[in-house]
Amino acid sequence: MVALMESLVKEAKNTGGAPLAVICPDNKAVSAVSGAMAEGIVNRVYLVGDAVKISSLAKLSEIDSSRCEILDAGSEEEACLSGIRLVKHNDARMVMKGEINTAVFLKSVLDKNDGLPSSRRLSLVCIFEIPGLDRLVILTDPGINPRLFSAGTPESGFDVIHNALDVARSIGMEVPRVAILGANEIPSASVPSSLHAQALSRMPWDKALVSGPLSYDIALYPQFARKKGMDDDPVAGQADILIAPDIVSGNVIYKSWIATCGGTVANVVPGAQVPLIISSRSDTDRSKFLTICSSVLFSRYMKRNENESGEKTPI
């Protein structure tokens, strides 16, 4: 199992790297990719967009030209289609968003005919190293889905939870402990998400332990679980994955861990046929690098599942 971020980087290096397509790269994207290539984490990159601009950026970043191919595109839409074709031809196993409108990028990726959709919805899965905790903790979804229970039923939360479980397994969490967050551990009809969390915790889960609703403190810290008399709960005090009930609570936790706690994060976006790398303008260079590392590990996980089943992994 990957214990902390440095172990995650080491494991990403051990994969031998994966090929990456970057759509409309800017200087930050090219710099991050150049660093990942130097570390052996990306073994080949396709930079798709304005060829003149990209050539200049590539030269400035001193990217390895022997493993870099620049593909010219006259528009954002054309760049997206070129990147998608690279995936369909098995030339790229990850797609990174550069300086392109997010709506245009996602519309192309999720297009039912020409894109890379899967049977699941996209979600943002964040792998955190937090000072004071001796393990990595995963948080979802602080950035894509407004609500966990999109259709107002327990089952409508499956995609977000399964995406998080797959990311957890890709970094070596064999039986992840999942806490579905709530204000407290007592379900209430006045808070429908708490009833849905309880229903999910009573369902059978393959190679996962799921409990909810659990408050934030009880989910993460054994001393608070003991005070509440929840020693018998298999998740309380030792959660690997926190599932936020909505984007507001998820985003507050995300930013608190970074700004207040000094946490380090690597982000993965499952839900398409390959991992998507969607960086925020506020992401540090270190976070961008770690995001590429975690996406490489997730790409390997998808590939292994595909090889074992003979079918595309429904990520």
Side-chain angles (χ1 to χ4, degrees):
M1 173 182 166
V2 174
L4 295 170
M5 283 298 183
E6 287 308 316
S7 297
L8 185 148
V9 174
K10 183 178 179 181
E11 186 63 23
K13 291 179 180 179
N14 290 339
T15 66
L20 168 67
V22 187
I23 312 301
C24 300
D26 56 11
N27 62 323
K28 291 183 178 180
V30 174
S31 177
V33 172
S34 180
M37 292 179 76
E39 295 284 349
I41 292 163
V42 171
N43 54 30
R44 187 166 186 80
V45 64
Y46 300 88
L47 304 176
V48 189
D50 183 333
V52 175
K53 177 183 176 182
I54 294 172
S55 296
S56 177
L57 293 174
K59 183 179 257 187
L60 287 172
S61 72
E62 298 182 344
I63 199 166
D64 183 352
S65 59
S66 68
R67 295 185 291 144
C68 172
E69 186 173 339
I70 298 172
L71 303 177
D72 190 40
S75 67
E76 291 185 342
E77 291 81 2
E78 184 182 336
C80 286
L81 289 174
S82 294
I84 289 168
R85 281 195 294 269
L86 288 168
V87 172
K88 292 189 173 185
H89 294 160
N90 295 316
D91 293 316
R93 283 171 38 202
M94 305 177 290
V95 178
M96 182 177 188
K97 172 190 167 293
E99 195 175 23
I100 175 177
N101 183 280
T102 301
V104 173
F105 177 77
L106 292 179
K107 181 180 179 181
S108 296
V109 168
L110 297 177
D111 185 90
K112 292 182 179 180
N113 297 317
D114 299 318
L116 301 169
S118 78
S119 59
R120 293 188 193 166
R121 54 176 161 149
L122 297 181
S123 59
L124 178 59
V125 181
C126 311
I127 306 166
F128 270 94
E129 180 180 323
I130 307 166
L133 284 180
D134 60 357
R135 65 191 187 278
L136 295 178
V137 176
I138 290 173
L139 171 68
T140 194
D141 175 350
I144 293 180
N145 291 284
R147 295 178 303 280
L148 170 62
F149 302 110
S150 57
T153 64
E155 293 78 10
S156 61
F158 280 167
D159 283 356
V160 171
I161 296 173
H162 280 297
N163 282 350
L165 285 171
D166 282 327
V167 171
R169 289 167 183 144
S170 77
I171 61 171
M173 296 181 183
E174 294 183 2
V175 184
R177 299 174 188 268
V178 181
I180 306 173
L181 296 180
N184 56 52
E185 69 282 6
I186 302 172
S188 168
S190 63
V191 185
S193 64
S194 68
L195 297 178
H196 299 333
Q198 181 186 57
L200 287 172
S201 69
R202 291 175 173 175
M203 294 179 184
W205 292 85
D206 183 33
K207 297 181 181 178
L209 300 170
V210 178
S211 182
L214 291 178
S215 62
Y216 174 90
D217 52 347
I218 291 175
L220 281 183
Y221 299 101
Q223 64 269 34
F224 292 106
R226 284 193 297 270
K227 283 183 180 179
K228 283 285 189 173
M230 299 191 67
D231 303 67
D232 294 336
D233 188 289
V235 176
Q238 48 192 334
D240 300 305
I241 301 173
L242 300 187
I243 309 290
D246 55 56
I247 196 171
V248 174
S249 55
N251 196 267
V252 168
I253 294 171
Y254 181 100
K255 290 178 178 174
S256 298
W257 281 355
I258 291 175
T260 307
C261 301
T264 307
V265 66
N267 297 314
V268 183
V269 179
Q273 293 173 26
V274 295
L276 305 180
I277 300 174
I278 304 176
S279 296
S280 166
R281 285 172 295 185
S282 62
D283 287 344
T284 63
D285 291 343
R286 179 63 174 169
S287 177
K288 286 184 173 70
F289 173 73
L290 292 171
T291 291
I292 294 173
C293 291
S294 60
S295 297
V296 166
L297 292 175
F298 191 55
S299 173
R300 179 182 67 176
Y301 171 84
M302 294 179 70
K303 190 69 174 175
R304 283 178 173 173
N305 282 3
E306 181 183 332
N307 291 339
E308 289 174 4
S309 67
E311 299 178 355
K312 286 282 186 184
T313 308
I315 297 301

